[in-house]
Amino acid sequence: MKILAIESSCDETAAAVVENGRNVLASEVYSQIETHKVFGGVVPEVAAREHLKVIDGIVKETLKSSDNSLDDIDGIAVTQGPGLIGALLVGITYAKGLAMGSAKPLIPVNHVHAHVHGALLGLDEGEEPQYPALALVVSGGHTNLYLMNAPTNFQLVGHSIDDACGESFDKVAKLLQLGYPGGPIVEKMARSGRPGAYPMPRMVEEKARLQFSYSGLKTHIYNILRKAPDGLDEQQQADLCYAFQEEALGQLVRKIDAASSRYPVKSILIAGGVAANLRFKERLTESCSIPVQFPHLRFCSDNAAMIAALGFHQYSCDQENGSQFFDYDWDAFSRYDFS
Ligand code: KG4
Ligand code: ZN
């Protein structure tokens, strides 16, 4: 079964064709990072307008590079939310038009849940992760920990009570005037940092609390910089990046460790932009005794292949109970429901 997917929740316009939820036939991502760089972050209205300009071209190019036409596609999946509302509406409206015009099923997909399937795109077709699994989506907008009993079953067991982990990398890079997005820059700087130069506070230390918190770390860094009116030299900046990164990642490792002792999980899935961090992979692999699956680098950040993969599972589940996916009458949701 071939699914064409469209993703436009933030600053990437993406389309993909994926077979059976695993075999990526084509995946195109147009990043708007250069457009938003001058503002130091994503400007929602600018993002929506950029999506509008390129979405038709991206989808056509993706179909072409997958060697398929719309006739070969079994269903269309699209990000329903969460995300920037104007940006989401561009992808959804385009996908609805495509689905209605071709009388194909339209599958609304949760972007955050779909990230987890980004991690599974690295596995061979037919190779399934062991359930129950613990899944951590760690990106610029979310730090969500899920207990999963099946590919479409997501029970939220922990989340950040303030900033997301990736967001804190971005904010720390901004405080240090290192550029945007902050994650890859901080990771690179941290490689030449010296351990022990800057002690960091430990946030939400109690093991019993499966919650994350990052705004205190950012404030701690702000206060260090405030006390250094002449700024930091390059070595001190690297030391600070090292200290921040160790604590930011340490918190993820501690909470995964606590959750995997609380729940009888057989595997751990890591997804989202921060999953690209090699130090995170190193630390988690060292500390975990159960198998950990990270995404390929190209499926860490936003892409449409992950939307197609989860869309495939939703569609496959539905075939037994009749086809809800010919109902095109649904709305976008912009915010994540934590209930
Ligand atoms: O998943 P993603 O592309 O977009 C969403 O937020 O949905 O994640 C982007 C986030 C940004 O905050 C970025 O700074 C962070 O992922 N990130 C990283 C790294 N690469 C990207 N954070 C830490 N280390 C990295 N290597
Ligand atoms: Zn994302």
Side-chain angles (χ1 to χ4, degrees):
M1 181 189 295
K2 288 177 193 162
I3 302 285
L4 166 68
I6 294 168
E7 151 64 35
S8 72
S9 63
C10 191
D11 59 343
E12 268 104 14
T13 321
V17 177
V18 177
E19 197 171 25
N20 299 332
R22 203 51 75 69
N23 183 17
V24 182
L25 302 180
S27 173
E28 302 283 337
V29 180
Y30 166 75
S31 168
Q32 304 175 2
I33 280 186
E34 288 306 316
T35 311
H36 297 286
K37 232 176 195 166
V38 286
F39 306 108
V42 180
V43 182
E45 183 175 333
V46 174
R49 289 171 188 272
E50 287 290 305
H51 288 308
L52 198 54
K53 278 194 240 167
V54 302
I55 193 159
D56 188 48
I58 298 277
V59 172
K60 285 181 175 149
E61 201 179 301
T62 305
L63 275 172
K64 194 170 162 209
S65 58
S66 76
D67 262 336
N68 284 282
S69 72
L70 194 54
D71 289 343
D72 305 317
I73 298 299
D74 298 290
I76 297 165
V78 65
T79 303
Q80 182 182 18
L84 305 171
I85 191 67
L88 286 166
L89 290 177
V90 175
I92 292 172
T93 309
Y94 185 94
K96 280 193 180 187
L98 209 58
M100 284 180 192
S102 58
K104 292 196 189 286
L106 180 65
I107 310 149
V109 172
N110 180 309
H111 174 96
V112 186
H113 294 174
H115 264 297
V116 175
H117 285 265
L120 303 180
L121 288 169
L123 298 173
D124 291 333
E125 212 174 322
E127 197 184 350
E128 282 305 314
Q130 293 282 301
Y131 293 104
L134 202 59
L136 177 74
V137 180
V138 62
S139 69
H142 299 88
T143 312
N144 286 6
L145 191 61
Y146 298 97
L147 180 63
M148 295 177 70
N149 289 312
T152 55
N153 174 270
F154 294 85
Q155 298 167 50
L156 187 67
V157 293
H159 62 84
S160 175
I161 52 172
D162 42 56
D163 291 349
C165 181
E167 181 182 3
S168 74
F169 274 85
D170 294 335
K171 286 182 174 172
V172 166
K174 197 168 182 176
L175 286 173
L176 287 164
Q177 299 178 336
L178 294 174
Y180 168 85
I185 308 172
V186 170
E187 182 184 6
K188 192 163 170 225
M189 288 286 288
R191 279 189 211 127
S192 40
R194 295 166 301 187
Y198 289 99
M200 287 282 133
R202 277 200 170 185
M203 316 309 293
V204 281
E205 206 174 2
E206 313 93 278
K207 260 198 148 191
R209 278 175 75 193
L210 286 184
Q211 279 172 333
F212 302 88
S213 169
Y214 284 98
S215 69
L217 266 185
K218 169 206 63 194
T219 308
H220 183 74
I221 298 225
Y222 171 79
N223 286 330
I224 291 174
L225 295 174
R226 208 166 45 95
K227 287 178 197 148
D230 299 331
L232 303 184
D233 63 29
E234 210 175 312
Q235 182 59 54
Q236 288 170 320
Q237 285 194 339
D239 293 344
L240 197 53
C241 285
Y242 177 89
F244 160 76
Q245 178 173 267
E246 285 305 301
E247 178 45 34
L249 302 178
Q251 189 184 135
L252 299 175
V253 174
R254 287 197 302 274
K255 296 296 170 179
I256 288 173
D257 184 44
S260 51
S261 331
R262 185 180 304 184
Y263 302 105
V265 290
K266 295 183 182 152
S267 62
I268 295 172
L269 311 171
I270 308 292
V274 183
N277 188 298
L278 293 178
R279 178 67 181 142
F280 180 33
K281 193 170 186 174
E282 188 179 85
R283 285 197 58 176
L284 198 58
T285 317
E286 257 169 33
S287 84
C288 275
S289 51
I290 38 182
V292 186
Q293 180 71 32
F294 275 80
H296 281 311
L297 213 51
R298 71 184 183 122
F299 299 127
C300 286
S301 52
D302 290 350
N303 64 84
M306 66 186 198
I307 306 295
L310 178 53
F312 163 79
H313 287 289
Q314 289 177 216
Y315 189 68
S316 309
C317 290
D318 174 72
Q319 278 181 328
E320 280 150 30
N321 335 329
S323 219
Q324 55 172 299
F325 298 117
F326 286 93
D327 170 14
Y328 306 125
D329 190 12
W330 47 262
D331 198 2
F333 65 96
S334 61
R335 304 207 43 139
Y336 191 78
D337 177 10
F338 283 118
S339 59

